[in-house]
Amino acid sequence: MKILKKEKSDLKLAMILLFPSMFLILLLVAYPMISNIQISFFEQPVNPLLPATFVGFGNYIDILKDGEFFKSLGLTFLYTFLAVAGSTAFGLAVAIFFNRPFRFRKIARSLIILSYVTPSISLVFAWKYMFNNGYGIINFLGEDVFHLFDHAPLWFDNPISSFILVVLFAIWRYFPYAFISLLAILQTIDTTLYEAAEIDGASTWQKFKIVTLPAIMPVLVTVITLRSIWLFYMFTDVYLLTNKVDILGIYLYETAFAFNDLGKAASISVILFIILSIVIVLSRKRVKF
């Protein structure tokens, strides 16, 4: 009886301690999600004093009939894939390089993470300055120094070059996250495993495949999953860099605040949540931890 009373007392204490966190989760996550789903079934006016009109699945049907939505969806998948693959591969390569002692390693690590901790607005304007048509360093080097082109390109006014630049920006901006996470797990690998593989005649690639990759796989999958979520919903970086890359974040923003169609925008976010959830579940099932 004493053990049972103690367990009940511990459970009560645990519930009391967890209540503030649970309340915040319900307030900041659950309530907005439920409210967003509710709005997606209405034609919601911008003025909250005006009544909303119930349209059922009308907003979802309109989206699925909209060719621009599927165009933005495909562009978003391509952007997410290239940015995640590039930033993860680059971060892993840099982490492997830094997983050894050399002079000024700590200073170099600090410099690498600068792009990740610096506010996005500062980095965006630095990139726009570098690629400026009149005084950017890229056009100066390409046109005046190396004569790679006859006239300075308008980098952020062309859809193709704009897309390439936003992908490169995302890779450069977010590779330190993969670098930090993968370097931490690389430093836990026993060096004797590499020595044993080397004695057996394993090449550099074989040592990476047999020793390194299985050890870092749980962290690697987590990095890819989290980065995919963040980049799939990307808005700020792309919106500030250019208006020529209509990924879903831009499409959703314009639907909500340019066309004032809040119900349709809410239904877009629900569809995106469903798509991303399915992709993440399927991708994680294919990986054995």
Side-chain angles (χ1 to χ4, degrees):
M1 290 294 296
K2 290 183 178 179
I3 296 175
L4 184 61
K5 288 182 179 179
K6 185 178 180 180
E7 289 179 353
K8 289 184 177 179
S9 178
D10 291 341
L11 178 61
K12 185 178 180 179
L13 177 61
M15 295 301 296
I16 293 173
L17 295 175
L18 288 173
F19 176 76
S21 300
M22 296 299 295
F23 177 75
L24 287 176
I25 292 174
L26 292 174
L27 180 64
L28 301 178
V29 178
Y31 173 73
M33 286 182 63
I34 296 172
S35 178
N36 185 77
I37 294 173
Q38 179 185 0
I39 292 174
S40 69
F41 293 104
F42 288 84
E43 185 177 332
Q44 183 72 37
V46 178
N47 188 346
L49 299 179
L50 297 177
T53 305
F54 180 76
V55 294
F57 289 97
N59 289 323
Y60 293 93
I61 296 172
D62 290 341
I63 292 168
L64 297 177
K65 289 182 179 179
D66 189 359
E68 289 298 320
F69 169 75
F70 290 101
K71 181 181 177 181
S72 296
L73 181 63
L75 195 64
T76 303
F77 273 117
L78 182 61
Y79 167 78
T80 303
F81 172 77
L82 294 176
V84 171
S87 61
T88 305
F90 189 36
L92 177 58
V94 177
I96 292 174
F97 176 79
F98 272 75
N99 190 33
R100 58 187 181 86
F102 61 88
R103 198 174 183 184
F104 303 120
R105 183 171 63 168
K106 292 183 179 179
I107 297 176
R109 286 180 184 175
S110 302
L111 293 175
I112 284 178
I113 65 174
L114 278 178
S115 65
Y116 192 67
V117 299
T118 304
S120 294
I121 187 68
S122 303
L123 300 176
V124 166
F125 277 100
W127 272 62
K128 296 188 78 170
Y129 180 87
M130 289 191 301
F131 288 92
N132 184 273
N133 181 45
Y135 49 81
I137 184 65
I138 302 299
N139 284 334
F140 170 73
L141 293 175
E143 182 181 8
D144 299 331
V145 178
F146 298 108
H147 306 289
L148 298 177
F149 30 77
D150 297 330
H151 60 278
L154 300 174
W155 296 100
F156 289 110
D157 290 338
N158 181 279
I160 297 177
S161 61
S162 295
F163 179 77
I164 294 173
L165 288 178
V166 296
V167 170
L168 291 177
F169 178 85
I171 292 173
W172 171 77
R173 171 84 165 88
Y174 298 110
F175 89 89
Y177 174 77
F179 163 73
I180 294 170
S181 303
L182 295 172
L183 180 61
I185 192 65
L186 283 172
Q187 292 179 339
T188 64
I189 301 175
D190 191 352
T191 55
T192 58
L193 297 176
Y194 293 104
E195 295 173 0
E198 190 171 354
I199 292 173
D200 291 337
S203 63
T204 303
W205 167 249
Q206 288 173 332
K207 285 189 287 186
F208 173 80
K209 183 180 179 181
I210 297 171
V211 179
T212 305
L213 192 58
I216 68 172
M217 185 57 71
V219 175
L220 186 63
V221 172
T222 302
V223 168
I224 292 174
T225 302
L226 293 177
R227 183 53 59 197
S228 297
I229 295 172
W230 295 330
L231 287 176
F232 194 78
Y233 286 106
M234 177 55 64
F235 168 76
T236 307
D237 295 348
V238 179
Y239 181 77
L240 293 174
L241 278 170
T242 179
N243 60 356
K244 298 296 182 180
V245 182
D246 293 327
I247 60 173
L248 282 173
I250 307 297
Y251 178 80
L252 176 60
Y253 172 81
E254 291 179 348
T255 301
F257 301 106
F259 302 107
N260 295 326
D261 197 340
L262 300 182
K264 187 176 179 181
S267 57
I268 293 172
S269 64
V270 173
I271 292 175
L272 297 187
F273 177 77
I274 295 172
I275 292 173
L276 192 58
S277 299
I278 294 172
V279 170
I280 292 173
V281 170
L282 292 177
S283 63
R284 291 184 69 89
K285 279 187 176 182
R286 295 179 65 89
V287 179
K288 295 180 180 180
F289 290 94

